[in-house]
Every structure is written in structure tokens, then in C-alpha cells.
Amino acid sequence: MAVWLRRSSSSSRRLIKQLWVSNDYSTNTNSSLTGNGGVNYHLQRVLLSRLISSPVFSVRRRFESTEAAQIRTCDPQYYSSEDDDHHHVQPSDTDQGMDFPGGRVRFTPQMNFIPEYLEKRVPCYRVLNDNGEPISGKIYQQVSKDMATRMYSNMITLQTMDTVLYEAQRQGRISFYLTSHGEEAINIASAAALSQEDVVFAQYREPGVLLWRGFTLQEVANQCFGNKMDYGKGRQMPIHYGSNKHNYFTISSPIATQLPQAAGAAYSLKMDKKDACVVAFMGDGGTSEGDFHAALNFAAVMEVPVVFICRNNGWAISTPITDQFRSDGVVVKGKAYGMRSIRVDGNDALAVYNVIRAAREFAISKQKPVLVEALTYRVGHHSTSDDSTKYRPADEIEHWKMEKNPVTRFRKWIERNGWWSDEHESEVRNKIKKEMIQAIQVAERLEKPAVSDLFTDVYDQKTKDLQEQENLLREVIKKHPKGYPSDVPP
Amino acid sequence: MSSLVRQILRSGRLPVSGLAPLQQAARAYSSAGKEFAALNSMHASTVVIWLDPSVLNSLASTPQSKISSDDSLSQFLQITVREALNSALDEEMAADPRVFLMGEEISKGLLDKYGPERVIDTPITEAGFAGIGVGAAYKGLRPIIEFMTFNFSMQAIDHIINSAAKSNYMSAGQISVPIVFRGPNGAAAGVGAQHSQCYAAWYAACPGLKVLCPYSSEDARGLLKAAIRDPDPVVFLENELLYGLSFPVSDEVLDSNFTVPIGKAKVERQGKDVTITAFSKMVGFALEAAEILAKEGISAEVINLRSIRPLDRATINESVRKTNRLVTVEEGFPQHGVGAEICASVVEDSFGYLDAPVERIAGADVPMPYAANLERMAVPQVEDIVRAAKRACYRSVPMAATA
């Protein structure tokens, strides 16, 4: 399998080469989940909680032709799964074929249906095991102490911010909130692997990327409270952050609409020949939208530098992934579009960091898109409008919250390296909690946006119609002040 | 071709008497040139026609018909709406490298001239390429998204409304979307229900969008240029049946900086008895109706709306205050249509000036049928407009709207 390295002298290149040489990512693992050539989806939810933990071997396997599926209604002679002779075609047999756009297509007298599932599921790349220990004995020092502690601090900042703001909604101080519990590693590690120039199109469960880039807790609170300091001028519901200066496009509620937009933005970067890529996040549910298909297809056809990151967290509100798709997750869809793809353990911060670094390099140097599927679990409810205990077992949530927690896993690694301690932990957690509570108090007391902000930005310049409406409104407020909130500035 | 002719005139080497034959010759050479280009798979603009001075002199001495003393070409140059649109696209793409075209089956001429990076032929997914256009606009490019017809824009309507129209507002000005969505809108001929709907009312209901409907070549050129230059998302509704029609254009219209202001209607014909508002193809019908009405002593003022959003309420109301009677004309479905909005606006602002109820002419309240006779009955015809104007002028038996 060709190794795509950028011809630069960055140290990450050498490190990645190390990784790829030892972990040939084109292969399958030695573990398969069922013996009958397919994945039993009845067990998928349980299987998700037992991620592959054995080392990845360098076994080369040629995907030459197709394997027959177990077609029970067919006469046995029409299908076969043990006929390896068909995989090894003699040169003289390849005379029968035709030239077709995309390459020569070889003819075959064997009627072989491509099975719904490969014998083995696409393996999942990870660096640290569930206990935070590097697997296969190798110590991966790709991440320095400063970077690791910064990543960890951001992860607990995200966790704490989420807890405090969720509580604030429960207390009735904001109308809505949604947390990223369980997905802190994806949030922070992916952001850490990007540059500030990379453009982010998020879905809505990626505020950690903004935090990494310098968005403050006060700015977060301002948006949630919709006060006059909100960059969104009080126009959007909570968690719909957006900041041009952080290269993070304003969150838009409809699912997956950001995906073709990301491809378009990447086209713009390509035209400008910028040394940057676009990163587009989505959940497992988002991959069912038509926009997902259009975006991936176009990105591959237009050859644009975009990294699509799917946070496969097992749930789309109350819809489990078994009801969302029947493919082997999301990673296999990349191949259908002619796009490079990889599956990674989304709760392993180091693995996510490595993968996004590599994906970004590929996307920019080759000007081609990449699909990354990060397996994880949505520990929290979908949002404050949801109670997930209604549709999933509480012990499943507990399991992922305790044993599979990405934050504790990373913490174990940095503590083992001597870079973190209990004192650090309580210091940072207390500081962030205090800061967040204070930010809420400040945000709550700040003035709301001015009445003029009701009518600006509909267009670049306010139209006559809008100016008339504003004048009318002001007249009415003046005439009937009791009918309007007193804390709204003119 | 017109610039060449202008140059010749300014050179002073051709007297005004040579103008008409020169114009005829130019047209002849122009069509010959186009034929030549087509036969040789070249873009017409790349064919250069050289007029030898001796040819000019011989033209000057040939007898000619009446010539206006106006030394500009205004009365003489005619271009089709299609040519107007293409020339506008060409000029804007040449002037601004951020402008690019994306759509299905787009202009081969522009593709040849600007290359596949700026003229992108897309796979069949309207939602896909509308979303991609919006994303590109977010990042600073100026895309022009072409739909095969606006009927297919419904598959992309989430991107048009939720991504394009609302982004500037929702992001508080951080994300501007300088995108143009264009394509044929409304009824064509014999294409049935899923290819004939008019979307003017739907898009014009949405804040954040600008909605333009050109009629003549001047409208087409000026409005499209204005749309491309505008920082807001614009829905540009063309008409299939108008593409091939020729309209006279002045020098000013052919200038590369010519734009028509968005939000301003044009009074195509002055009148004092009844105001008729129309847009797109119906402007032509309204003008025909005005001619017929004139013969019967009714002087109709015809207003070409040009902009459906923002709607030029000032011009409409000013006209109604003068004529006291209003007929609105549109091809689309009647309920919640453009005419309904105009009527409400006039009732709000100029109720006291109305001498008769507002008449509303629209398409039939049915999906467009295919059979030619049924189709004809499903869209307004000139006679419908004439009868409505007469009703407004109390010149015929009023129709009982409700029993």
C-alpha cells in the first residue's frame, strides 16, 4: 500500500512513517466478530463496548476479487467462499477484459456477489489501551509534556464547562444546552492536531475545538445568554457558537448541511492554494442525510482538501446505530466515493491526535478528501430536551462513563509519565468551575442586544422596508413602554 | 460587434448616412461570424471580423432609409435575453476572479473560455451543489449556482433558505453569502406540472434573500450584474420563453459597468387610468394588453416590477395614487402570490386612493397540465389582462367573486 508522505522536513513526518511501517493500516486484525462472513448486528451495541484491544499485525491481504455471499436459496454450486483460486489470477487470464472509465475491468465467468459485509470489520486504530498504557510495548512520544498537559487541561475544561452550563439550564437560567460528555478526546485531540488556519465546520457537539483555539468561557456564556457581548448578537439559541477570528463557522442546526458547505469552502482554499484544510464534523446520524452523500461525492470528484470527521457515538437522539445504517459503520462508505478513510478509537486522545495529523497532511499535500470515523459513546443525553434513560439502559451509560472514559484514560497516561498529579487535577478543576460560574453570573447581568440588532444583518445594508419597520417598532415602544422589557437597550 | 461599430463612428470616417447600412452589415457579418464559429466549434466572441476601409466607403455611398440624428446606436442594436445574460456572466467573470459558475449542463462557451476551475459541471445533486456554493461563498468566493429549472431548486431549498438566506443574520454579520442562484422559472411550453411552477412568491417571502425577475435584455444584463456584485444571496428568476427574444439596447446597457438598481421597478409605459403590475414574461403580455386598451380609450400604466424582494412599494403606490385602479399580473399560483402582497401593500398605504377593488390575475390554481389547450387555459393570456383592466375601470360587468 502506497505511503503518502509530504516531502517536507517536519518531524511529524518521520514519526508518522514510523507508525505506518509498524501498523500497516491497510490490513485487517486477527479478530473477527462472527464466523459466517457477516456482522451480527443484534449484538452490535454490546460489541461496541468491547473495542478491539489486541495489537495490529502486519498481514498483507489482497482484495483481488469478490467473495460469494451465503445465498441460501441458491444451488451450492453457484456460490463459494473457499474458492481461493479465483483470487490468484494468472496473467494469461487477464486478456479478457474491457477498458472502462476508471481502469481496465477484468471479466470473470464466476458469478460472485460482493457480500454485504467483509469477513472482518475494518479495524480500529488505537495507541493507548483502556488503562492508558501504550499498546504493543512501544512508547509513543509524539506528544510533548506541554502539549499533553494542555490537551488534558482542555479536556477537563470542556467537561467542567458542560457540567456547569447543563446545571444552569436545569435551573432555568438558559433555555437549552447540549454536552459533549464522553467525546472530550475527539474534541480536543482533533483540535490539537490542526492549525489555526484550518477552517472548522462543526455540527454542534464540538465546542472543544473552539476552546482549544482560545474561545473563553466568558465568550461561551455570552452566547448562551444571548447578551450584547455575544458574537451572534443574541440571534441564536445556546451552543450555536461562531467566531471568524477562530476560523470556526457559526453552528447551524439542520443536520449535515455543513458537509457540502465544507467541500465548497475547501474548493475555495484550493483555488487560493492555501496551506490549510477544512475540517467538517458530523455524528453517526448525520451520515444518513442526503447532504452527506453529496458532500463526500463532490469532495472526491473536485479533489479538495477536506477532512470529514464522523463522531460515531452510537446514538442519534434515541436512534441507535443499528437503526441508522446496516454498513460496517461509517468508514466503509469512504471507499464507495473513492475516498481514503480510517477508523480510530475516538476515546484515545493520542490515537485521534495522530490520525488527524496524518489526515490533515494527506488532505493538504494531495489536495484530496479523507474520511475519519472515530468510535465513541455519547455519555450524556442528546440535549437538555432529552432523557436518554428512556431508551437505553442506565448500566450501559455507566459503563462508558466509568470504564471507557476518555478523560481518565488520558489522565492515567500523563500521570504515569509524571506530568500530572492529583494536586494539579483538583487545582485545575476548581479554577475552571469557579471561572465558569463567574462567567455565567457576568453574562446573566450584561445587557441584552439593542433593538437595532433586530433589523441589522438581514442584508448587508438595511433596506428601506426594514428601516420603516424599525421606526414603527420604536414608536410603539415609546407609546406603550409597559408592554416591553425594560432591560432592552434602545 | 457594437463596440467596433462605435469605434468606426467615432473615428469620423463614416458619415451618419452610413449608419443604417453599416448596422445592417454588422448584423449580417455578426450572424455570419456566429455561424462560422458554430461550424468550427469556436466561441463566437473569438471570431474577429475585419472591415476593410474600402467596404466602409462603399457602405457610405449606398442609399439608406431614414436615420435618426441621434449619433448613438441606441435604437438599432438588438440583443436576445440569452446574449444579454451570457455577456453579463462573461464580463463579471472577467472582472472578478472570485466569480465562478456551477451547475448542470452549463454554457460550453464560458467553459471553453474560463476553464473547468471556474465553470464547474456538476453531478446531479442540487442539494449538493447548492451547499457547496454556499460554503464557497462563506469562504470568500462569489459563486453563481445554476439550476436546470427552479423546480429542481426545491431539492436544494434548505440550503437556499437555511444556509444562504439566514446566515448573515444568524452569524451577526460574520458570514456573508454573496451567492447568486439563477435559472429558468415558471411555465415553459408543454413541460407539465413538475417543470412549470413559479417560485417568485415562495422565495420572496424569505427575509435575507433578494429576488429578481428580469423581463427585457436590459433587465437581464443589468439585474444579473447587480446580483453578482451584491453581497447578499440573490435568487435570479429567468424565463425559458424569454431567452430567445430580442430587445433593443442602448450604449449604456452594453457598457461593462452597467447595472440596474435592485429594489426599483420600471414604469414601462406611462398611463393614467389603471396601473398594471407584472414581472417576467407577463410584462410583455401587459404591454400588449395596454395597446389593446388604448384603442378602447383606457390608458394603462404598466409597471415592470424587476425586484420581487425588495418590492418597490413606493413606485407601485405612487402609480396607484395617480390612476386609482390596480391590476396585478403573475403567472404563478394565485394563493399567497406576489399579487396578494402588492394588493395588501396598496390597501395599507393607499386605501383612500382606490376607486375600485384590486384585480388579481394569476395562473390557475392547478398543477400545470400538459395538453396544449389545457396549458393555455392554465396561464394568464392577454385577453385576461384586458378584461381585468376593464373591470377595474367599471367598463364591464363585474365578476362575482363570492356568491
Side-chain angles (χ1 to χ4, degrees):
Chain A
M1 192 61 105
V3 189
W4 35 262
L5 297 173
R6 187 151 64 150
R7 304 200 193 298
S8 72
S9 57
S10 70
S11 58
S12 59
R13 182 175 69 91
R14 272 180 269 119
L15 293 161
I16 288 161
K17 195 170 184 171
Q18 238 181 308
L19 282 172
W20 298 142
V21 162
S22 57
N23 301 322
D24 189 341
Y25 71 101
S26 70
T27 69
N28 282 334
T29 63
N30 60 349
S31 62
S32 80
L33 300 168
T34 65
N36 65 355
V39 178
N40 187 341
Y41 271 94
H42 178 66
L43 296 174
Q44 193 174 14
R45 251 190 272 169
V46 175
L47 297 172
L48 191 60
S49 64
R50 296 172 188 10
L51 282 176
I52 300 158
S53 57
S54 59
V56 174
F57 288 98
S58 303
V59 173
R60 233 166 229 295
R61 181 176 147 169
R62 238 191 288 156
F63 295 98
E64 270 286 73
S65 73
T66 64
E67 306 231 19
Q70 305 267 335
I71 308 165
R72 276 168 230 245
T73 52
C74 244
D75 192 315
Q77 69 179 286
Y78 289 112
Y79 65 90
S80 162
S81 59
E82 276 135 5
D83 217 340
D84 280 336
D85 290 337
H86 295 283
H87 295 248
H88 308 293
V89 178
Q90 304 308 312
S92 56
D93 289 13
T94 58
D95 289 341
Q96 296 302 310
M98 72 166 162
D99 286 318
F100 200 79
R104 192 163 175 75
V105 178
R106 194 173 51 80
F107 291 133
T108 169
Q110 283 297 120
M111 175 166 54
N112 288 329
F113 280 78
I114 303 173
E116 306 94 297
Y117 312 112
L118 297 173
E119 221 175 72
K120 303 188 170 142
R121 294 191 69 173
V122 171
C124 181
Y125 170 70
R126 66 157 37 176
V127 170
L128 300 174
N129 66 13
D130 283 346
N131 219 19
E133 290 150 346
I135 53 182
S136 46
K138 281 204 159 69
I139 313 288
Y140 292 98
Q141 298 288 340
Q142 310 91 336
V143 165
S144 67
K145 173 183 173 188
D146 284 340
M147 175 63 97
T149 49
R150 185 181 165 197
M151 277 168 66
Y152 185 71
S153 302
N154 271 273
M155 284 165 77
I156 55 182
T157 301
L158 175 58
Q159 220 178 36
T160 311
M161 170 188 104
D162 271 352
T163 310
V164 175
L165 281 169
Y166 187 90
E167 276 309 303
Q169 193 277 343
R170 283 291 179 251
Q171 292 166 14
R173 294 157 92 174
I174 51 177
S175 65
F176 175 86
Y177 193 72
L178 69 72
T179 68
S180 308
H181 289 318
E183 303 181 51
E184 295 88 349
I186 297 179
N187 264 259
I188 302 301
S190 63
L194 302 172
S195 85
Q196 288 281 126
E197 302 308 312
D198 296 323
V199 181
V200 174
F201 279 82
Q203 178 66 75
Y204 46 56
R205 217 179 287 280
E206 304 90 3
V209 177
L210 257 184
L211 288 179
W212 178 270
R213 289 184 168 191
F215 208 62
T216 64
L217 296 178
Q218 188 63 63
E219 287 167 321
V220 165
N222 290 340
Q223 197 283 326
C224 289
F225 281 85
N227 59 37
K228 71 168 190 215
M229 297 301 288
D230 170 24
Y231 295 147
K233 294 184 195 162
R235 305 240 176 91
Q236 292 244 55
M237 53 192 284
I239 70 101
H240 285 65
Y241 316 106
S243 173
N244 270 3
K245 70 175 189 229
H246 296 100
N247 254 326
Y248 190 98
F249 272 95
T250 308
I251 300 292
S252 168
S253 306
I255 300 293
T257 54
Q258 73 279 9
L259 301 178
Q261 292 168 8
Y267 187 74
S268 175
L269 287 182
K270 177 174 162 158
M271 298 253 290
D272 289 343
K273 296 187 173 43
K274 285 245 169 75
D275 180 18
C277 67
V278 175
V279 173
F281 290 89
M282 78 206 83
D284 40 281
T287 66
S288 292
E289 282 278 359
D291 273 347
F292 171 81
H293 161 79
L296 265 66
N297 191 36
F298 266 88
V301 168
M302 294 195 305
E303 294 186 4
V304 289
V306 52
V307 179
F308 292 106
I309 303 176
C310 175
R311 292 174 295 95
N312 185 345
N313 63 19
W315 295 93
I317 311 190
S318 64
T319 306
I321 50 180
T322 47
D323 288 346
Q324 196 69 250
F325 36 67
R326 282 300 152 94
S327 51
D328 174 13
V330 174
V331 64
V332 291
K333 301 187 190 210
K335 194 170 190 171
Y337 297 108
M339 185 182 303
R340 197 161 286 224
S341 49
I342 188 167
R343 168 174 279 164
V344 64
D345 180 352
N347 286 359
D348 180 347
L350 283 189
V352 172
Y353 179 78
N354 285 344
V355 162
I356 303 303
R357 284 294 297 260
R360 178 183 181 273
E361 280 225 17
F362 176 81
I364 296 176
S365 61
K366 298 288 181 209
Q367 293 287 294
K368 279 186 169 177
V370 185
L371 172 65
V372 175
E373 179 188 18
L375 300 181
T376 180
Y377 188 83
R378 193 196 75 210
V379 167
H381 306 305
H382 166 72
S383 73
T384 49
S385 312
D386 175 52
D387 175 10
S388 61
T389 57
K390 289 207 160 79
Y391 51 80
R392 56 184 188 176
D395 56 345
E396 177 188 297
I397 307 173
E398 264 311 290
H399 174 74
W400 282 88
K401 190 171 178 178
M402 305 313 288
E403 279 123 76
K404 298 287 195 174
N405 193 310
V407 179
T408 38
R409 191 159 151 198
F410 197 54
R411 178 182 172 175
K412 286 183 181 153
W413 185 69
I414 56 172
E415 272 181 348
R416 213 173 280 116
N417 287 344
W419 297 342
W420 200 258
S421 66
D422 282 342
E423 290 81 51
H424 271 124
E425 180 83 13
S426 42
E427 185 192 318
V428 173
R429 280 200 189 263
N430 288 335
K431 174 168 153 295
I432 300 294
K433 183 168 180 188
K434 228 190 276 188
E435 203 181 304
M436 189 70 238
I437 291 175
Q438 196 182 18
I440 290 179
Q441 288 169 345
V442 170
E444 217 165 21
R445 289 196 220 106
L446 271 174
E447 270 190 332
K448 297 293 186 222
V451 162
S452 57
D453 280 337
L454 186 57
F455 300 100
T456 51
D457 305 318
V458 180
Y459 297 105
D460 189 65
Q461 303 291 327
K462 221 189 292 187
T463 57
K464 231 173 358 130
D465 272 357
L466 286 171
Q467 190 57 62
E468 276 172 33
Q469 289 177 44
E470 186 181 340
N471 295 341
L472 254 171
L473 177 61
R474 285 181 192 282
E475 271 177 44
V476 173
I477 295 176
K478 226 193 302 181
K479 254 196 237 168
H480 309 278
K482 288 220 175 72
Y484 291 88
S486 53
D487 65 338
V488 177
Chain B
M1 181 49 62
S2 62
S3 59
L4 171 63
V5 177
R6 272 201 299 272
Q7 273 176 47
I8 294 169
L9 280 178
R10 287 196 197 112
S11 71
R13 286 187 295 162
L14 184 76
V16 168
S17 58
L19 183 56
L22 174 62
Q23 186 53 33
Q24 280 176 31
R27 268 200 284 272
Y29 280 117
S30 176
S31 56
K34 282 189 189 131
E35 256 186 63
F36 177 83
L39 286 170
N40 291 278
S41 310
M42 294 161 63
H43 187 244
S45 66
T46 60
V47 176
V48 175
I49 297 170
W50 175 251
L51 284 179
D52 191 84
S54 60
V55 172
L56 297 180
N57 288 331
S58 69
L59 282 175
S61 56
T62 51
Q64 74 292 307
S65 47
K66 270 195 297 231
I67 312 261
S68 156
S69 56
D70 184 352
D71 67 23
S72 84
L73 301 167
S74 42
Q75 287 86 312
F76 304 98
L77 215 53
Q78 299 239 346
I79 59 172
T80 62
V81 170
R82 187 182 286 114
E83 284 165 349
L85 294 169
N86 276 331
S87 64
L89 285 173
D90 195 353
E91 286 164 23
E92 292 306 302
M93 286 180 78
D96 188 343
R98 298 169 301 170
V99 176
F100 73 99
L101 210 56
M102 188 153 60
E104 298 152 355
E105 320 289 326
I106 41 210
S107 152
K108 189 172 187 309
L110 288 171
L111 174 59
D112 290 340
K113 182 168 180 185
Y114 292 99
E117 275 203 349
R118 296 196 54 206
V119 180
I120 305 173
D121 190 19
T122 61
I124 308 179
T125 157
E126 284 77 8
F129 60 76
I132 286 173
V134 171
Y138 280 1
K139 254 328 253 179
L141 294 182
R142 298 189 87 97
I144 302 169
I145 305 301
E146 262 190 48
F147 295 113
M148 195 121 240
T149 87
F150 263 92
N151 296 272
F152 308 144
S153 76
M154 290 198 287
Q155 294 181 284
I157 204 164
D158 177 75
H159 276 292
I160 300 173
I161 308 293
N162 277 331
S163 297
K166 300 179 184 172
S167 279
N168 200 50
Y169 190 75
M170 292 195 312
S171 72
Q174 294 186 87
I175 304 178
S176 91
V177 193
I179 194 170
V180 175
F181 298 101
R182 61 171 286 242
N185 173 62
V191 287
Q194 295 173 329
H195 294 78
S196 306
Q197 188 167 336
C198 174
Y199 290 86
W202 281 27
Y203 286 121
C206 188
L209 282 181
K210 290 184 176 162
V211 179
L212 306 176
C213 280
Y215 161 61
S216 63
S217 300
E218 177 181 328
D219 290 354
R221 250 184 82 80
L223 287 176
L224 186 54
K225 276 166 163 301
I228 296 170
R229 295 177 190 197
D230 199 285
D232 296 312
V234 179
V235 169
F236 194 82
L237 303 171
E238 302 161 9
N239 187 295
E240 178 93 36
L241 300 176
L242 287 177
Y243 282 152
L245 285 194
S246 282
F247 293 85
V249 286
S250 67
D251 262 5
E252 197 199 338
V253 174
L254 296 168
D255 188 73
S256 61
N257 267 321
F258 174 73
T259 56
V260 157
I262 293 177
K264 203 87 192 74
K266 181 181 181 197
V267 179
E268 296 281 351
R269 181 186 172 120
Q270 298 268 355
K272 56 181 182 54
D273 293 331
V274 60
T275 300
I276 306 178
T277 64
F279 59 94
S280 190
K281 186 153 145 278
M282 292 291 117
V283 176
F285 281 31
L287 288 169
E288 274 181 66
E291 274 296 316
I292 297 173
L293 289 164
K295 295 195 182 76
E296 308 205 19
I298 298 177
S299 154
E301 178 148 293
V302 176
I303 300 182
N304 173 3
L305 292 175
R306 282 179 165 179
S307 273
I308 313 299
R309 184 177 185 104
L311 196 58
D312 189 355
R313 298 171 207 276
T315 301
I316 299 169
N317 277 285
E318 191 187 308
S319 174
V320 172
R321 289 178 185 211
K322 184 173 69 166
T323 65
N324 311 121
R325 294 159 203 278
L326 175 62
V327 175
T328 70
V329 185
E330 66 198 288
E331 239 184 351
F333 300 135
Q335 190 166 342
H336 308 298
V338 175
E341 174 61 32
I342 294 175
C343 176
S345 177
V346 165
V347 164
E348 280 165 6
D349 291 343
S350 312
F351 183 67
Y353 292 83
L354 282 170
D355 285 348
V358 176
E359 289 281 341
R360 196 169 41 150
I361 296 293
D365 202 14
V366 300
M368 184 70 73
Y370 166 75
N373 63 326
L374 295 178
E375 187 180 45
R376 195 180 186 284
M377 290 192 278
V379 284
Q381 303 299 333
V382 176
E383 306 81 58
D384 296 313
I385 306 175
V386 171
R387 284 193 289 262
K390 284 185 179 170
R391 284 196 299 271
C393 294
Y394 296 152
R395 294 278 288 271
S396 67
V397 179
M399 286 174 66
T402 50

